[in-house]
């Protein structure tokens, strides 16, 4: 839960935030609405300013008007004019080509005038990361003698281990690791954060959170949408690099990590990294499925196949679906299969973790034991936020019939509940210097080792694409991956 800024801490939190790429979609659709909501919740420091850096020719008034329109489009309620009045005073625009030296002296002058602490947000394409970082150093903007300096970098952090290592080496020559915030918006989602509370604040979960009681774990992130206008990006990433290497591995680490010594960010990150190290070493045990969508129907409407999407090669062999079976070779999870899947143009949109518990030996003594369903715990990340627990009970009546029932908690279904958006929470944490929900280099390193191993295995395999229709559950091989283990994918958009 986010708490209001304490006046005693305000001096340390006061800062100027410089956003590079201030006229892009990320800034308008995510960053500005998040900052506005923080203003509305009185969570921004009193001394806080946003300097927005872009290459388009705009006045302050013109840029603020663009921000206003985009906030209105991307928040849940009507914009509060009083809140906007105070927030807009914090926002200024500077036209600058951030790849050229010309604008940096004036930028330094503006930032120095606004305060000592500085937060740099690189809301730009990855190939601009290094030039901007270099110029921040060249013009003494990264010097922390007169206040802290923090930099936020969006994914992708490299395209493989080699490029990620190069980027990290150059980045850490300018900023120390503690001041680098590699942002993954999935980690800002409310129910994903709730995983740690669910596990470690409930005495009836943590004692059974292990191989003795858990049969398997499923992590699914499915989308109805196709690649849309992101074809050029997706051609370089695919489902593996776009979703698994970052979002879903982070989700897995929170699900599988050992209890930390404390909830200090260092201890949590250490336990997450330990999981990734084990994954990076399990190459030979993995089973892999990949797919690419062809034409089909979504909600009754015809949609094009991936190869017909904008800025996609007509012979592309990039995967839009991936499913994995893997193991974590440690005492807690030894022998427990973990199934991960993600894909585009599937029949439902959802991100969920399903914990399937083992059936008890005594269930075989019930007359209808063949119909007994396993206990399931479902953590729903999006679009619904909440949890579902499925257990068995006797059906009312004279006959001893066992039926499954569900207990459901829906966090964002309750009237009046307004969970903070992911960027809202993450920006608040950066300002406070809390790096718990951000990935450190060790995590990035081992997640890339894992992804690179998969990429190497796929290069040896030929798959005839497209191999699933839009609007279906993905390629049949993904179903067979579990059927061969006498299991099935449990969730298809919320129904068990």
């Amino acid at each position: 839960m986010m708490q209001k800024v304490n006046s005693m801490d305000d001096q340390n939190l006061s800062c100027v935030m410089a956003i590079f790429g201030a006229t892009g979609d990320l800034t308008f659709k995510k960053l500005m609405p998040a900052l506005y909501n923080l203003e509305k919740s009185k969570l921004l420091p009193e001394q806080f300013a946003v300097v927005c850096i872009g290459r388009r020719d705009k006045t302050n008034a013109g840029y603020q008007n663009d921000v206003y329109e985009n906030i209105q489009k991307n928040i849940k309620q009507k914009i509060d004019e009083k809140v906007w009045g105070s927030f807009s005073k914090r926002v200024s625009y500077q036209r600058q080509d951030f790849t050229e030296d010309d604008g940096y002296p004036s930028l330094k002058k503006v930032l120095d005038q606004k305060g000592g602490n500085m937060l740099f947000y690189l809301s730009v394409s990855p190939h601009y990361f290094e030039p901007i970082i270099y110029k921040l150093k060249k013009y003494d903007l990264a010097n922390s003698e007169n206040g802290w300096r923090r930099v936020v970098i969006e994914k992708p952090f490299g395209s493989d281990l080699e490029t990620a290592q190069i980027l990290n080496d150059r980045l850490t020559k300018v900023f120390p690791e503690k001041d680098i915030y590699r942002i993954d918006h999935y980690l800002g989602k409310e129910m994903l954060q709730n995983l740690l509370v669910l596990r470690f604040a409930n005495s009836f979960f943590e004692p059974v959170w292990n191989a003795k009681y858990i049969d398997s774990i499923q992590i699914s992130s499915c989308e109805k949408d196709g690649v849309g206008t992101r074809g050029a990006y997706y051609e370089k990433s695919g489902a593996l690099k776009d979703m698994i290497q970052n979002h879903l591995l982070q989700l897995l680490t929170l699900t599988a990590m050992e209890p930390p010594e404390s909830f200090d960010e260092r201890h949590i990150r250490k336990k997450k990294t330990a999981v990734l190290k084990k994954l990076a070493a399990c190459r030979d045990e993995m089973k892999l499925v990949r797919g690419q969508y062809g034409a089909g129907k979504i909600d009754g409407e015809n949609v094009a196949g991936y190869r017909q999407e904008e800025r996609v090669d007509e012979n592309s062999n990039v995967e839009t679906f991936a499913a994995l079976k893997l193991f974590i070779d440690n005492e807690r999870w030894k022998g427990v299969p973990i199934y991960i899947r993600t894909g585009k143009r599937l029949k439902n949109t959802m991100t969920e973790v399903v914990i399937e518990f083992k059936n008890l030996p005594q269930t075989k003594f019930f007359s209808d034991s063949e119909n007994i369903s396993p206990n399931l715990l479902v953590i729903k990340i999006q679009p619904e936020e909440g949890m579902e627990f499925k257990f068995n009970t006797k059906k009312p009546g004279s006959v001893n019939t066992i039926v499954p029932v569900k207990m459901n908690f829906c966090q964002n279904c309750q009237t009046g509940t307004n969970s903070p958006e992911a960027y809202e929470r993450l920006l608040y944490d950066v300002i406070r210097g809390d790096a718990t929900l951000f990935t450190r280099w060790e995590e990035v390193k081992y997640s890339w080792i894992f992804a690179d191993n998969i990429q190497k295995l796929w290069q040896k395999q030929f798959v005839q694409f497209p191999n699933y229709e839009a609007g279906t559950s993905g390629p049949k091989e993904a179903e067979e991956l579990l059927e061969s283990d006498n299991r099935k994918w449990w969730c298809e958009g919320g129904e068990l």
Side-chain angles (χ1 to χ4, degrees), residues 248-261:
L248 299 190
L249 285 189
Q250 285 294 318
L251 186 47
L252 174 57
T253 60
L254 291 174
T255 303
M257 63 184 273
E258 295 296 318
E261 298 172 33

Side-chain angles (χ1 to χ4, degrees), residues 75 89 315:
I75 61 172
K89 293 176 183 177
N315 297 308

Side-chain angles (χ1 to χ4, degrees), residues 26 119-130 132-133 136 150-158 167-168 170-172 175 179-185 423 426 430 438-439 444:
L26 176 63
L119 166 58
F120 302 104
Y121 199 112
L122 275 54
S123 179
V124 296
S125 297
H127 60 275
Y128 291 125
F129 291 166
E130 290 185 40
I132 293 173
I133 293 297
L136 290 178
R150 296 171 188 152
V151 60
V152 182
I153 293 188
E154 284 277 346
K155 74 155 195 169
F157 195 89
L167 173 58
N168 192 69
R170 293 173 181 173
L171 187 59
T172 51
F175 293 92
D179 293 327
I180 301 170
Y181 290 72
R182 302 173 189 85
I183 194 167
D184 183 338
H185 70 271
Y423 277 95
L426 294 170
V430 176
F438 297 82
T439 52
V444 174

Side-chain angles (χ1 to χ4, degrees), residues 229-272:
T229 59
R230 299 170 70 230
Y233 160 75
Y234 211 82
E235 281 287 275
K236 297 177 182 178
S237 67
L240 175 64
K241 296 179 182 180
D242 184 50
M243 290 296 296
I244 293 176
Q245 181 270 332
N246 39 72
H247 300 326
L248 299 190
L249 285 189
Q250 285 294 318
L251 186 47
L252 174 57
T253 60
L254 291 174
T255 303
M257 63 184 273
E258 295 296 318
E261 298 172 33
S262 75
F263 282 88
D264 179 87
E265 64 187 64
R266 294 169 300 170
H267 294 144
I268 292 175
R269 287 166 145 189
K270 180 180 178 181
K271 297 301 183 183
K272 289 166 61 184

